[in-house]
Amino acid sequence: MPKLKIGILALQGAFAKHEEMLKTLGVDTILVRTPADLSLCDALVIPGGESTTIFRQINFIQLDEPLKQFAGQKPIFGTCAGLILMSKEVIAYPSIQTLGILDIAVERNAFGRQAESFRTELTVSVSPRETFLFPSVFIRAPRIRQCTHNVKVLASYDNEPVLVQQGNHLGASFHPELTSSNLIHKYFLSLVKKRV
Ligand code: GLN
């Protein structure tokens, strides 16, 4: 089987760290900056950064429709700002336009400002028989305020979901690429392999 090609949206934000982590898992990576780049990918990671800036650039290069179509066929993993962009709705100020891929409503920056960034160990359950501890980093992170019944919660913090799955898509409020563990990326790749 040819190597998987995992795209990383590289318009702004923490895309380089995702690239490093995916390389430790033996897949090919593609930095996505155009619709043509996207068309080469088996799956896509949308990194953290500044969701308003990333969305403006998505619109500027007319990547919004290709991204929505891609989501209908292939897995996407959004982290922090990426999760915000994948949400159906951003509640409370400052609201922004999103891609509407995950049936969740999020509140931006609701875990506090940059200075209130924190690390914590999460218990992640990807199936009833597979649970692991994950060292997570939250930076101006969004809170998931609502999710529908078709969204599976894989990890919570303070009784609120912080890692969710809907079909082949994954969304994290935190930054799994900034830790020493690649287990969440590995889980995402297992979803991609099932799909391919
Ligand atoms: N607060 C940022 C936003 O709303 C996300 C922060 C992050 O990705 N670390 O876009």
Side-chain angles (χ1 to χ4, degrees), residues 47-52 79-82 84 108-109 139-142 175:
E50 189 53 46
S51 50
T52 47
T79 62
C80 206
I84 297 169
R108 294 177 61 208
N109 305 327
I139 305 169
R140 288 188 305 122
H175 284 268

CSV table of all heavy atoms in Angstrom, one decimal, residues 47-52 79-82 84 108-109 139-142 175, ligand 1:
chain,number,residue,atom,x,y,z
A,47,PRO,N,-4.4,23.2,11.9
A,47,PRO,CA,-3.6,23.4,13.2
A,47,PRO,C,-4.2,24.5,14.0
A,47,PRO,O,-5.2,25.2,13.6
A,47,PRO,CB,-2.3,23.8,12.7
A,47,PRO,CG,-2.6,24.5,11.4
A,47,PRO,CD,-3.7,23.8,10.8
A,48,GLY,N,-3.6,24.7,15.2
A,48,GLY,CA,-4.0,25.9,16.0
A,48,GLY,C,-3.3,27.1,15.5
A,48,GLY,O,-2.5,27.0,14.6
A,49,GLY,N,-3.7,28.2,16.0
A,49,GLY,CA,-3.2,29.5,15.5
A,49,GLY,C,-4.2,30.6,15.8
A,49,GLY,O,-4.8,30.6,16.9
A,50,GLU,N,-4.6,31.4,14.9
A,50,GLU,CA,-5.6,32.4,15.1
A,50,GLU,C,-6.7,32.1,14.1
A,50,GLU,O,-6.5,32.3,12.9
A,50,GLU,CB,-5.0,33.8,14.9
A,50,GLU,CG,-5.9,34.9,15.3
A,50,GLU,CD,-6.5,34.8,16.7
A,50,GLU,OE1,-5.7,34.5,17.6
A,50,GLU,OE2,-7.7,35.0,16.8
A,51,SER,N,-7.9,31.7,14.6
A,51,SER,CA,-8.9,31.2,13.7
A,51,SER,C,-9.4,32.3,12.8
A,51,SER,O,-9.8,32.0,11.6
A,51,SER,CB,-10.1,30.6,14.5
A,51,SER,OG,-10.5,31.4,15.5
A,52,THR,N,-9.5,33.5,13.2
A,52,THR,CA,-10.0,34.6,12.4
A,52,THR,C,-9.0,34.8,11.2
A,52,THR,O,-9.5,34.9,10.0
A,52,THR,CB,-10.1,35.9,13.1
A,52,THR,OG1,-8.9,36.1,13.9
A,52,THR,CG2,-11.2,36.0,14.1
A,79,THR,N,-7.2,21.1,15.6
A,79,THR,CA,-6.7,21.3,16.9
A,79,THR,C,-6.8,22.8,17.3
A,79,THR,O,-6.4,23.7,16.5
A,79,THR,CB,-5.2,20.9,17.1
A,79,THR,OG1,-4.4,21.6,16.2
A,79,THR,CG2,-5.1,19.4,16.8
A,80,CYS,N,-7.4,23.1,18.4
A,80,CYS,CA,-7.6,24.5,18.9
A,80,CYS,C,-8.2,25.4,17.9
A,80,CYS,O,-9.4,25.3,17.7
A,80,CYS,CB,-6.2,25.0,19.4
A,80,CYS,SG,-6.4,26.2,20.7
A,81,ALA,N,-7.5,26.3,17.2
A,81,ALA,CA,-8.2,27.2,16.2
A,81,ALA,C,-8.8,26.3,15.1
A,81,ALA,O,-9.8,26.6,14.6
A,81,ALA,CB,-7.2,28.1,15.6
A,82,GLY,N,-8.1,25.1,14.9
A,82,GLY,CA,-8.7,24.2,13.9
A,82,GLY,C,-10.0,23.6,14.3
A,82,GLY,O,-10.9,23.5,13.5
A,84,ILE,N,-12.1,25.2,16.2
A,84,ILE,CA,-13.1,26.3,16.1
A,84,ILE,C,-13.5,26.4,14.6
A,84,ILE,O,-14.7,26.5,14.3
A,84,ILE,CB,-12.4,27.7,16.5
A,84,ILE,CG1,-12.0,27.7,17.9
A,84,ILE,CG2,-13.3,28.9,16.2
A,84,ILE,CD1,-11.1,28.8,18.4
A,108,ARG,N,-14.8,30.8,21.9
A,108,ARG,CA,-13.3,31.0,21.7
A,108,ARG,C,-12.7,31.6,23.0
A,108,ARG,O,-13.4,32.3,23.8
A,108,ARG,CB,-13.1,32.0,20.6
A,108,ARG,CG,-13.5,31.5,19.3
A,108,ARG,CD,-13.3,32.6,18.2
A,108,ARG,NE,-12.0,33.0,18.1
A,108,ARG,CZ,-11.6,34.2,17.7
A,108,ARG,NH1,-12.5,35.1,17.4
A,108,ARG,NH2,-10.3,34.5,17.6
A,109,ASN,N,-11.5,31.2,23.2
A,109,ASN,CA,-10.6,31.8,24.3
A,109,ASN,C,-11.2,31.5,25.7
A,109,ASN,O,-10.9,32.2,26.7
A,109,ASN,CB,-10.4,33.3,24.2
A,109,ASN,CG,-9.8,33.6,22.8
A,109,ASN,OD1,-9.0,32.8,22.3
A,109,ASN,ND2,-10.2,34.7,22.3
A,139,ILE,N,-3.8,26.4,25.1
A,139,ILE,CA,-3.3,27.8,24.9
A,139,ILE,C,-4.4,28.6,24.3
A,139,ILE,O,-4.9,28.4,23.2
A,139,ILE,CB,-2.1,27.9,23.9
A,139,ILE,CG1,-1.0,26.9,24.4
A,139,ILE,CG2,-1.6,29.3,23.7
A,139,ILE,CD1,0.1,26.7,23.4
A,140,ARG,N,-5.0,29.6,25.1
A,140,ARG,CA,-6.1,30.4,24.6
A,140,ARG,C,-7.2,29.5,24.0
A,140,ARG,O,-7.7,29.7,22.9
A,140,ARG,CB,-5.7,31.5,23.7
A,140,ARG,CG,-5.0,32.6,24.3
A,140,ARG,CD,-4.7,33.8,23.4
A,140,ARG,NE,-4.1,33.4,22.2
A,140,ARG,CZ,-4.5,33.5,21.0
A,140,ARG,NH1,-5.7,34.2,20.8
A,140,ARG,NH2,-3.9,33.1,19.9
A,141,ALA,N,-7.5,28.4,24.7
A,141,ALA,CA,-8.2,27.3,24.1
A,141,ALA,C,-9.7,27.6,24.1
A,141,ALA,O,-10.2,28.2,25.0
A,141,ALA,CB,-7.9,26.0,24.8
A,142,PRO,N,-10.4,27.0,23.1
A,142,PRO,CA,-11.9,27.1,23.1
A,142,PRO,C,-12.5,26.1,24.0
A,142,PRO,O,-12.0,25.0,24.2
A,142,PRO,CB,-12.2,26.8,21.6
A,142,PRO,CG,-11.1,25.9,21.2
A,142,PRO,CD,-9.9,26.3,21.9
A,175,HIS,N,-3.5,21.3,22.2
A,175,HIS,CA,-2.4,21.1,21.2
A,175,HIS,C,-1.7,19.8,21.3
A,175,HIS,O,-0.6,19.8,22.0
A,175,HIS,CB,-1.4,22.3,21.3
A,175,HIS,CG,-1.9,23.6,20.8
A,175,HIS,ND1,-1.7,24.0,19.5
A,175,HIS,CD2,-2.6,24.6,21.4
A,175,HIS,CE1,-2.2,25.2,19.3
A,175,HIS,NE2,-2.8,25.6,20.5
B,1,GLN,N1,-7.9,31.6,20.6
B,1,GLN,C1,-7.5,31.2,19.3
B,1,GLN,C2,-8.6,31.5,18.3
B,1,GLN,O1,-9.7,31.8,18.7
B,1,GLN,C3,-7.1,29.8,19.2
B,1,GLN,C4,-5.8,29.6,20.0
B,1,GLN,C5,-5.0,28.4,19.6
B,1,GLN,O2,-5.1,27.8,18.5
B,1,GLN,N2,-4.0,28.1,20.4
B,1,GLN,O3,-8.4,31.4,17.1
